[in-house]
Amino acid sequence: QQQVKQSPQSLIVQKGGISIINCAYENTAFDYFPWYQQFPGKGPALLIAIRPDVSEKKEGRFTISFNKSAKQFSLHIMDSQPGDSATYFCAARNAGNNRKLIWGLGTSLAVNP
Amino acid sequence: GAGVSQSPSNKVTEKGKDVELRCDPISGHTALYWYRQSLGQGLEFLIYFQGNSAPDKSGLPSDRFSAERTGGSVSTLTIQRTQQEDSAVYLCASSMIATNEKLFFGSGTQLSVL
């Protein structure tokens, strides 16, 4: 059973557009929600993360929106660039189970020039 | 080094052979994690170390898989009697402490079992 559901599986956006990737979870024990970015041939790299006591966090062109009541969080990439083309993973940390990270299945983003 | 280093970057082996994958974490990072990533799939947790101890081995797929960490630094993931379904990218990550925040990943070892 996938505890963190990520959508869409793939996404194509034009340069300058907004990329939106969504994740949903069920477990209320999750207490930390990171997004990782992975380029081909590389390991994932932490992009941005949020805790459930805030509804939004922004770092440059990247924003996480968090809806605690709906148990959903999303990544918004403003002014998307071809260099943003990568696979994006959301994750959620279970505070009650050895702080284990539960990962989404990833979204492959392609930004067309 | 500046980042997490994994070796080899690629490994091709024959079914039934044993393989060892190495991970050098960032200096000073006490936590070390092993993940497996199959083509087009997400990240599958295998095992993590806090120092030289492995509090959580729950992700190891079978008893053919084992890992150790020595000196609170280098870790080795060993797969015995490899099978074709073991083919994947094996990723190592480290972090300052074992809170699963701010993981730094290596570039992985691409394992191909023929």
Side-chain angles (χ1 to χ4, degrees), chain A residues 16-85:
Chain A
I18 302 173
S19 303
I20 302 175
I21 304 171
N22 301 297
C23 284
Y25 64 96
E26 290 295 326
N27 194 332
T28 57
F30 291 160
D31 69 343
Y32 172 76
F33 303 86
W35 286 89
Y36 280 78
Q37 179 188 54
Q38 184 178 29
F39 293 106
K42 301 293 185 182
L46 179 64
L47 188 62
I48 187 172
I50 198 168
R51 300 181 195 279
D53 54 343
V54 297
S55 60
E56 185 175 282
K57 184 173 181 180
K58 184 176 181 180
E59 290 184 3
R61 296 184 295 107
F62 301 90
T63 299
I64 299 179
S65 296
F66 186 82
N67 187 328
K68 189 173 182 178
S69 61
K71 298 179 192 169
Q72 295 176 348
F73 58 110
S74 59
L75 176 69
H76 296 235
I77 306 174
M78 311 300 289
D79 186 26
S80 298
Q81 300 297 311
D84 297 331
S85 298

Side-chain angles (χ1 to χ4, degrees), chain A residues 40 94 112:
Chain A
N94 189 333
N112 290 333

Side-chain angles (χ1 to χ4, degrees), chain A residues 36 38 51 93 99-100, chain B residues 37 56 58 99-101:
Chain A
Y36 280 78
Q38 184 178 29
R51 300 181 195 279
R93 183 181 68 181
R99 295 181 176 176
K100 182 169 284 188
Chain B
Q37 186 173 31
D56 188 353
S58 63
T99 59
N100 257 320
E101 294 186 22

Side-chain angles (χ1 to χ4, degrees), chain A residues 9 32 34 36 38 41-46 51 87 89 93 97-101 103-106, chain B residues 35 37 40-43 45 48 55-56 58-59 91 98-108:
Chain A
Q9 187 175 2
Y32 172 76
Y36 280 78
Q38 184 178 29
K42 301 293 185 182
L46 179 64
R51 300 181 195 279
T87 300
F89 292 94
R93 183 181 68 181
N97 182 16
N98 224 1
R99 295 181 176 176
K100 182 169 284 188
L101 265 184
W103 296 81
L105 294 180
Chain B
Y35 281 87
Q37 186 173 31
Q41 298 297 309
L43 292 150
F45 168 81
Y48 95 91
D56 188 353
S58 63
L91 292 164
T99 59
N100 257 320
E101 294 186 22
K102 296 184 182 179
L103 299 185
F104 293 84
F105 283 85
S107 293

